[in-house]
Amino acid sequence: LRRHSPLKELSFTEAHMSDSDMQLFVSSLRENAKMIPRTIHMDCEYCDFGPDGLRFMAELLEDSDCSLVHLEILNKENIADQDDMTKRFAEALKRNKTLKTLDLHSIWEGLSAESWNASFHTAICDKTSIEATYNSNHTLTCLGTLFP
């Protein structure tokens, strides 16, 4: 990654990635912050990574050097604790200042309204205090479909 120019878009289709593959991928991007693409599109129908792999992606969003603008993760089903994973991404969004579009697609299917509101409502517009509102994520413009 070090010798190449920055990527505009990175797309994984039918990639057979495990949790350790995701950890290596994310750590490589974090070590080479200038290489982080603006868009990552992952079709995870054949991916073997689980909650740990998704946690690594959330950690990338938290990184202050992360310049990722669009993240889409498709066909990632059978996440044992969707509420916990949703909270993890919401926490990452609180610290992220570049991401405009987040689509976790099938991860969100079946998510309870209470969990959705508790997680993302405070990440996007925390009204508990003036400072909390000021520090909320004001960059994110879409929590849904990335590509129409």
Side-chain angles (χ1 to χ4, degrees):
L1 285 176
R2 290 188 179 135
R3 291 178 254 160
H4 296 90
S5 61
L7 299 169
K8 290 182 182 176
E9 181 176 337
L10 186 58
S11 181
F12 294 99
T13 304
E14 297 184 20
H16 295 269
M17 295 178 71
S18 65
D19 285 326
S20 59
D21 294 332
M22 284 298 290
Q23 182 179 21
L24 181 62
F25 169 67
V26 169
S27 65
S28 295
L29 287 176
R30 291 176 84 179
E31 289 173 13
N32 302 285
K34 293 179 182 175
M35 296 302 301
I36 296 175
R38 292 179 51 82
T39 300
I40 295 179
H41 168 81
M42 300 182 78
D43 185 338
C44 301
E45 186 173 358
Y46 300 101
C47 291
D48 297 326
F49 68 82
D52 285 340
L54 290 170
R55 182 177 51 82
F56 297 130
M57 288 302 292
E59 287 174 4
L60 177 64
L61 294 179
E62 288 178 326
D63 194 314
S64 61
D65 292 327
C66 180
S67 58
L68 187 63
V69 177
H70 306 288
L71 175 61
E72 178 183 45
I73 301 177
L74 297 173
N75 297 318
K76 189 63 192 156
E77 299 172 359
N78 303 322
I79 298 299
D81 191 349
Q82 289 177 313
D83 289 346
D84 183 56
M85 191 54 56
T86 301
K87 288 176 190 173
R88 186 72 182 94
F89 273 93
E91 286 297 315
L93 287 177
K94 287 181 182 180
R95 294 170 189 83
N96 184 283
K97 303 299 180 204
T98 61
L99 194 71
K100 291 184 178 181
T101 305
L102 175 63
D103 187 358
L104 299 179
H105 199 62
S106 54
I107 296 170
W108 293 351
E109 292 175 8
L111 189 66
S112 68
E114 295 82 17
S115 179
W116 175 267
N117 290 330
S119 298
F120 285 101
H121 190 264
T122 57
I124 296 168
C125 187
D126 187 348
K127 297 179 183 179
T128 58
S129 71
I130 292 171
E131 183 178 0
T133 302
Y134 176 78
N135 290 324
S136 295
N137 183 311
H138 300 288
T139 309
L140 193 69
T141 58
C142 183
L143 275 169
T145 303
L146 173 61
F147 302 107

